Amino acid sequence: MSELIELTVATPAGSARVWEKGTGAPVVYLAGLGGLPAWPSALDALAKTRRVVAPSLPGFPGGADYERLDDIFDWSLAAVDLVQATGLAGADLIGASVGGALAAEVAALRPDLVRKLVLIAPYGLFDEAAPIADVFAVKTGEQSALLARDPQAYDAYRARPNSASEMDWTLMQVRAEMAAARILWPLGDTRLSKRLFRITQPTLIIWGAEDRVIPPVYAAKFAEAIAGKTTIVTIPQAGHKVEFDAPVAVADAIAKFLKG
Amino acid sequence: MRSLWFHLMPYQDLQDNFKDEHKSVWVSIDRALFDSQRGHELYNEYMDELEFAAAQGFDAICVNEHHANAYGMMPSPNLIAATLARRTSDAAICVMGNSVALYNPPTRVAEEMAMIDCISGGRLIAGFPVGTAMDTCYAYGQNPGLLRPRYYEAIDFITRAWESDQPFAFNGRFNQQRYVNAWPRPMQQPRPPIWIPGSGSIETWDMCAEKDYLYAYLSYFGWQASAGVMKGFWNRMKELGQEPNPFHAGFLQFVGVAETRAEAEKLYAPHADYFYNRSLHLDPAFSSPPGYTTEDSIRARMGSQVAAASGAASGGPQTVSRDYSKTRFFDEGHVIIGSPDEVADKLREVAIQLNVGNILLLLHFGDMPRDLTEYNTSLFAKKVMPQIKGLFEDKWEHKWWPKPIAQAKRQQPAPVAAFTS
């Protein structure tokens, strides 16, 4: 398999890191809460059959400045800009969690940029009868347990490498939290519900059966509202960070869906 | 030296084991704990106490804003201030303050404060806090990363609404209004004095220097907690070429006065304990929404061991959550207690050390009953205030105090007319 490549692309928000690995048809990945502090095993597994391209959203590790992005319109356009900056217009697009909400916006606003869409436990909707948990109101050190079924493994993935200073590593993670909060606060419908009907692409919806952040019942809500053909895959024994709890199962489901 | 009598208006009947049985006094406070009959009694009792303080000769009476909070029953301090404006005649009315980022458009704040200023004959102090994370981000759903820019913009909006001689258009990042015309205009021209309760950020100090606002550090942990912040404030004022006028600054202090220190300890300990061990029982999950503290402040905090140790760079006193059960609130100066002479000596010493000419006094705290509150207030007014009143007054002009109209021109409420057939 090819090596992990790091590139930098220019966007209107500033320059952004792009990680890329694998060969084959390209697929763009927008990461979720916390972004990508390191190359994750789910993308590694997917890179066995695909060219996986992961550009960083503003505020997330490797991303441009997010300070001027005030509302969901600014963020949606920033996501469009980022996908365009990869030069992969018309490729498949995957978005996880908060990145999933923005991937859905990209597919709705610019269908020409997206061939097939994969949403992994996306934010964007809200049901008062099944409220989303508040990941921004947890005690220090308790967030991982809310996010992942295996919090130790997720913490190990996020742990500071020796090459990074404690200050830089901490601020990178804090900034990713701030960016996610900027997009999602106060955790209601981002008004994505008004735009899901614009998504005509075939869409795979992946959810962890034990997602404690966004209850799995949201999968059907997305499927109902999206105009394109949708497929729901529920991964057992996985939480909100389903791609960390079950990297191979998620990569296999995506590879199978994107084939053809 | 100005003495301001400050009421937090705490709900009183939180049970002994509140800390064990409940997760938080704030944001998620159990609604079943609120008894509206007690609410009725407490609001009226507390307003009586504020009016009593005014009658006792305190320079100002002071109210503030909290939301979903069982130690502060004033989501709208302006409502209370309006009643105080009618029932008092001399004391300044310090609204400390309105969390201006919460009001859209901020015209509402400009209007209500101008109403209070008109009703009171120009006695209003207009306080503008950024607001705690619990009040603003959780109880009012404000985006934490946008709270501060909204706050600064709202202050700009409100001051223009007061000072402008013509209706104007406001085209800000968050507020767009084609027609801003806050009517009535405030009695004090061009505007009431503006006081900023801050948490110790340089950004806020610079605003106070640039715009001529008073800076107040309101910590529940007494003068010792305020000392480091006030030192930083005065260093910054010096750098900016501001004179060290003690009236430019204020701090908060719990005080309990009695005939002797031993008696004060006996009288006030249960109520201080109620405050520190029930009223401040806060779920730490609500203490730091991402973006409430700026990246620069976090970097400064991480980079400065000294600042971290003094707590100077924290998000404010209310955002600190810890276990207070071991707190020695008297020994550590959170609450200053003693005989009138002891309290006066201590306050004079502290005011000089901090170089602060406005002291916001919590003479009611926790579940203190009315008779003890009146005792504390009266003793302070009669025996402490005369000893500290003259401090700084001969050397410095208080440029941040309200300028009411002359007594002869002030309206008093007419007696309620008896019904005649």
Side-chain angles (χ1 to χ4, degrees):
Chain A
M1 196 196 296
S2 63
E3 292 301 301
L4 177 66
I5 302 166
E6 180 169 322
L7 305 167
T8 302
V9 294
T11 75
S15 60
R17 181 193 78 189
V18 179
W19 276 347
E20 179 174 336
K21 190 170 182 179
T23 53
V27 55
V28 178
Y29 175 84
L30 299 179
L33 293 168
L36 294 180
W39 183 250
S41 54
L43 296 189
D44 221 51
L46 190 58
K48 286 175 181 157
T49 56
R50 305 289 299 239
R51 179 185 160 208
V52 180
V53 178
S56 296
L57 286 162
F60 292 86
D65 183 31
Y66 74 98
E67 270 299 327
R68 289 162 55 85
L69 305 179
D70 288 342
D71 54 30
I72 197 64
F73 190 55
D74 290 344
W75 280 99
S76 299
L77 293 182
V80 166
D81 291 340
L82 189 65
V83 171
Q84 277 190 310
T86 62
L88 298 174
D92 298 323
L93 178 63
I94 308 168
S97 182
V98 58
L102 294 178
E105 296 281 8
V106 173
L109 292 171
R110 289 291 304 274
D112 57 305
L113 295 183
V114 182
R115 190 184 75 108
K116 286 185 175 180
L117 179 66
V118 178
L119 301 176
I120 304 173
Y123 276 95
L125 301 185
F126 195 89
D127 179 359
E128 290 178 3
I132 290 174
D134 189 350
V135 296
F136 304 121
V138 288
K139 292 178 195 171
T140 310
E142 291 185 359
Q143 197 194 50
S144 293
L146 190 58
L147 292 178
R149 186 174 188 272
D150 184 351
Q152 283 80 20
Y154 182 57
D155 283 340
Y157 162 73
R158 292 201 294 179
R160 177 174 66 91
N162 290 332
S163 57
S165 81
E166 194 180 338
M167 171 86 86
D168 290 348
W169 196 255
T170 303
L171 287 175
M172 178 187 77
Q173 302 210 4
V174 164
R175 202 178 301 125
E177 286 278 294
M178 291 177 175
R182 180 70 69 87
I183 299 166
L184 298 174
W185 203 277
L187 292 172
D189 187 328
T190 60
R191 300 293 178 264
L192 179 61
S193 60
K194 297 169 82 173
R195 297 181 281 273
L196 283 178
F197 79 92
R198 296 177 187 279
I199 298 176
T200 53
Q201 293 90 337
T203 301
L204 172 65
I205 300 164
I206 298 177
W207 229 281
E210 297 175 27
D211 191 329
R212 293 172 58 205
V213 179
I214 310 177
V217 292
Y218 279 72
K221 298 177 193 301
F222 274 91
E224 267 167 41
I226 289 171
K229 183 178 185 304
T230 56
T231 309
I232 296 175
V233 171
T234 305
I235 309 278
Q237 298 189 328
H240 182 65
K241 286 278 179 187
V242 51
E243 70 275 37
F244 290 86
D245 282 331
V248 175
V250 168
D252 286 351
I254 294 172
K256 187 180 157 203
F257 169 75
L258 295 182
K259 202 184 282 177
Chain B
M1 182 77 178
R2 306 296 163 95
S3 298
L4 296 88
W5 201 99
F6 192 169
H7 216 317
L8 294 176
M9 294 201 174
Y11 191 74
Q12 287 203 1
D13 297 347
L14 305 178
Q15 65 270 39
D16 293 349
N17 62 352
F18 175 71
K19 252 165 112 167
D20 305 319
E21 297 292 312
H22 294 273
K23 280 178 82 173
S24 186
V25 78
W26 210 336
V27 183
S28 60
I29 177 75
D30 186 348
R31 293 180 64 75
L33 296 175
F34 191 85
D35 173 350
S36 49
Q37 173 62 32
R38 285 296 284 144
H40 170 68
E41 291 160 10
L42 288 171
Y43 275 124
N44 284 284
E45 181 176 315
Y46 289 165
M47 288 189 275
D48 286 347
E49 289 168 358
L50 283 154
E51 289 156 9
F52 179 80
Q56 290 286 309
F58 280 79
D59 295 300
I61 42 179
C62 191
V63 291
N64 73 342
E65 173 177 335
H66 282 305
H67 300 277
N69 181 329
Y71 80 70
M73 297 202 302
M74 280 183 287
S76 173
N78 299 353
L79 289 182
I80 305 295
T83 73
L84 299 175
R86 284 278 287 178
R87 298 252 294 174
T88 64
S89 53
D90 294 321
I93 294 172
C94 178
V95 179
M96 197 69 175
N98 283 185
S99 298
V100 292
L102 303 183
Y103 303 101
N104 182 14
T107 315
R108 181 76 181 186
V109 174
E111 289 169 341
E112 289 188 358
M113 285 190 159
M115 286 174 70
I116 297 167
D117 204 39
C118 274
I119 294 168
S120 68
R123 290 185 282 139
L124 177 73
I125 293 167
F128 294 144
V130 68
T132 68
M134 290 69 80
D135 290 313
T136 59
C137 301
Y138 292 106
Y140 260 53
Q142 286 293 314
N143 196 305
L146 298 176
L147 184 73
R148 275 162 218 277
R150 267 186 197 282
Y151 166 71
Y152 291 120
E153 182 175 303
I155 293 178
D156 182 37
F157 184 113
I158 292 162
T159 51
R160 279 178 63 187
W162 281 338
E163 293 175 12
S164 178
D165 286 324
Q166 294 297 329
F168 63 95
F170 189 94
N171 187 39
R173 179 176 173 188
F174 306 103
N175 298 279
Q176 291 91 33
Q177 296 287 318
R178 180 62 186 82
Y179 306 99
V180 182
N181 192 1
W183 186 275
R185 301 185 68 163
M187 183 125 232
Q188 298 178 77
Q189 288 295 319
R191 58 166 174 78
I194 292 173
W195 290 24
I196 305 291
S199 60
S201 77
I202 292 178
E203 204 179 19
T204 307
W205 295 340
D206 288 359
M207 176 178 74
C208 288
E210 187 197 337
K211 309 272 191 181
D212 206 24
Y213 302 154
L214 181 144
Y215 178 76
Y217 184 71
L218 309 185
S219 167
Y220 297 139
F221 304 100
W223 64 274
Q224 285 172 321
S226 308
V229 174
M230 292 318 306
K231 193 174 174 194
F233 172 75
W234 289 121
N235 285 341
R236 185 66 184 160
M237 290 305 107
K238 195 174 176 185
E239 284 170 19
L240 297 172
Q242 298 273 314
E243 57 182 13
N245 184 338
F247 292 121
H248 197 185
F251 78 107
L252 183 80
Q253 184 63 55
F254 289 69
V255 172
V257 200
E259 293 304 323
T260 64
R261 185 187 161 92
E263 194 201 340
E265 190 161 339
K266 202 175 80 190
L267 287 174
Y268 299 111
H271 310 298
D273 183 72
Y274 181 98
F275 181 78
Y276 288 102
N277 288 313
R278 288 181 229 178
S279 299
L280 287 190
H281 174 53
L282 171 67
D283 186 343
F286 297 127
S287 63
S288 55
Y292 180 81
T293 305
T294 63
E295 191 178 323
D296 283 348
S297 295
I298 294 170
R299 185 181 286 109
R301 190 188 307 177
M302 287 180 71
S304 170
Q305 295 292 333
V306 180
S310 75
S314 81
Q318 290 92 335
T319 67
V320 181
S321 60
R322 42 179 130 130
D323 184 1
Y324 304 108
S325 55
K326 303 282 189 293
T327 297
R328 294 149 64 227
F329 29 77
F330 296 144
D331 296 342
E332 293 178 6
H334 304 345
V335 183
I336 290 177
I337 55 163
S339 69
D341 290 350
E342 287 169 338
V343 168
D345 287 349
K346 189 72 200 173
L347 289 179
R348 193 184 307 104
E349 175 198 325
V350 167
I352 290 168
Q353 186 190 327
L354 271 56
N355 195 44
V356 172
N358 304 282
I359 177 168
L360 290 84
L361 293 151
L362 285 169
L363 294 166
H364 174 283
F365 40 84
D367 57 349
M368 196 185 289
R370 181 198 293 256
D371 56 351
L372 185 56
T373 306
E374 291 188 357
Y375 172 75
N376 197 17
T377 302
S378 167
L379 208 51
F380 190 97
K382 288 188 173 65
K383 297 193 172 169
V384 179
M385 223 150 54
Q387 300 191 53
I388 59 172
K389 212 174 174 63
L391 195 59
F392 307 127
E393 300 280 353
D394 53 339
K395 285 199 189 131
W396 298 98
E397 180 196 353
H398 200 320
K399 296 189 281 187
W400 301 269
W401 199 256
K403 295 180 178 61
I405 53 171
Q407 278 289 357
K409 286 185 147 181
R410 281 190 225 172
Q411 299 294 307
Q412 299 300 332
V416 179
F419 179 78
T420 51
S421 53

